[in-house]
Amino acid sequence: MHPPVIEQSIELLCQKGCKEVLRLIGEMEAGRTPGEISHLQESERQAVLRELKAIMAVYERNK
């Protein structure tokens, strides 16, 4: 379980939909920090990225 600030960030990003989450993952992997998570520390941003990738992996497996 993640700290509340990370959980809230993940929830906020996921509400934007799959296409937007995939775009945000790409942005983060390219070293950029989306505004939605700019308030987080680097370790927290990395936790958000790992979790978003795990969530999207479920969708990829079910295609």
Side-chain angles (χ1 to χ4, degrees), residues 43-62:
S43 61
E44 294 169 326
R45 291 194 295 264
Q46 290 303 312
V48 169
L49 176 58
R50 283 191 303 273
E51 186 65 24
L52 290 176
K53 289 171 80 172
I55 290 167
M56 295 311 295
V58 171
Y59 288 103
E60 290 298 314
R61 283 193 302 251
N62 291 323

Side-chain angles (χ1 to χ4, degrees), residues 2 7 23 34 41 44-46:
H2 298 290
E7 291 291 333
R23 187 191 69 74
Q41 296 177 11
E44 294 169 326
R45 291 194 295 264
Q46 290 303 312

Side-chain angles (χ1 to χ4, degrees), residues 7-21 24 52:
E7 291 291 333
Q8 291 168 352
S9 296
I10 292 166
E11 180 67 29
L12 173 72
L13 295 173
C14 286
Q15 287 178 5
K16 295 177 177 261
C18 291
K19 287 183 182 178
E20 183 64 9
V21 169
L24 291 168
L52 290 176

Side-chain angles (χ1 to χ4, degrees), residues 23-47:
R23 187 191 69 74
L24 291 168
I25 289 171
E27 195 172 317
M28 294 168 73
E29 287 179 332
R32 295 185 292 277
T33 302
E36 297 92 339
I37 60 168
S38 62
H39 64 286
L40 299 177
Q41 296 177 11
E42 179 61 26
S43 61
E44 294 169 326
R45 291 194 295 264
Q46 290 303 312

